[in-house]
Amino acid sequence: MNPNTTARPALWSAGLSSPGVLERLRRLASTAAPASTLLVRGIVGAVFLLEGTLKFLDPPGLGVGRFVKIGIPFPGFFAPFDATFEIVCGLCLIAGLLTRLSAIPMIVNMVVAIGSTKVPLLLHEGFLKAAHEARLDSTMLFASLFLLMAGAGPLSLDSLLVARWRPRP
């Protein structure tokens, strides 16, 4: 048996039951982004990883306590939930693993952060104060959007997966 043909059945038996699923994953992971995308992935992933970790290390200031302060419902659930997503997605972004999928929850995360903290600041203290305070949040939002659109680039686990899943003659 050809060793190149064994990858697909092994993946199918792992729960990916059809070639259509593999093809969708391959398209999702493929990218034409330059190698320098590694820099964006690295810094965005590192910031999310750090912020998620800090939510667990300092629950009163950055985790549950902060979620209570800004009015997020069910803070005892959503603070660790958010922190877990930030850690997992941050690690995935750094490694370039399922980059586009990992960017989606981080985009939602940043939209919620801007809506719950920066919009009230805009309404109460004006544009300049809100714009100053929103620097990191807006940067993370737009960098995550970039990664969603561009993909991981060639220096990533996604590119290795795409090469592995490439159709063989």
Side-chain angles (χ1 to χ4, degrees):
M1 182 180 238
N2 182 351
N4 292 334
T5 60
T6 60
R8 286 194 181 100
L11 287 171
W12 293 343
S13 66
L16 300 173
S17 59
S18 73
V21 171
L22 286 176
E23 177 59 24
R24 283 192 291 271
L25 284 173
R26 189 189 65 74
R27 278 187 277 149
L28 186 67
S30 48
T31 178
S36 57
T37 304
L38 171 67
L39 299 172
V40 177
R41 280 193 357 252
I43 195 66
V44 170
V47 170
F48 282 127
L49 175 61
L50 174 66
E51 289 299 316
T53 303
L54 289 173
K55 283 179 178 66
F56 284 120
L57 294 177
D58 182 14
L62 299 171
V64 175
R66 177 145 172 81
F67 278 50
V68 168
K69 181 181 173 187
I70 61 177
I72 301 289
F74 309 109
F77 170 77
F78 280 116
F81 178 81
D82 181 50
T84 301
F85 262 90
E86 287 178 339
I87 291 168
V88 171
C89 292
L91 289 170
C92 285
L93 291 173
I94 291 168
L97 178 63
L98 302 173
T99 301
R100 287 187 168 108
L101 286 177
S102 297
I104 293 169
M106 296 302 91
I107 291 166
V108 172
N109 187 358
M110 297 319 305
V111 168
V112 170
I114 291 168
S116 62
T117 62
K118 303 320 182 264
V119 170
L121 190 61
L122 172 68
L123 298 174
H124 293 108
E125 298 195 36
F127 176 76
L128 293 178
K129 178 73 172 175
H132 173 74
E133 293 294 325
R135 291 171 299 160
L136 180 60
D137 292 353
S138 57
T139 299
M140 297 300 287
L141 172 62
F142 286 110
S144 296
L145 285 166
F146 168 79
L147 292 172
L148 175 64
M149 292 187 285
L155 302 175
S156 66
L157 292 178
D158 282 351
S159 67
L160 292 175
L161 293 174
V162 167
R164 174 106 171 117
W165 293 338
R166 187 162 284 125
R168 310 253 195 290

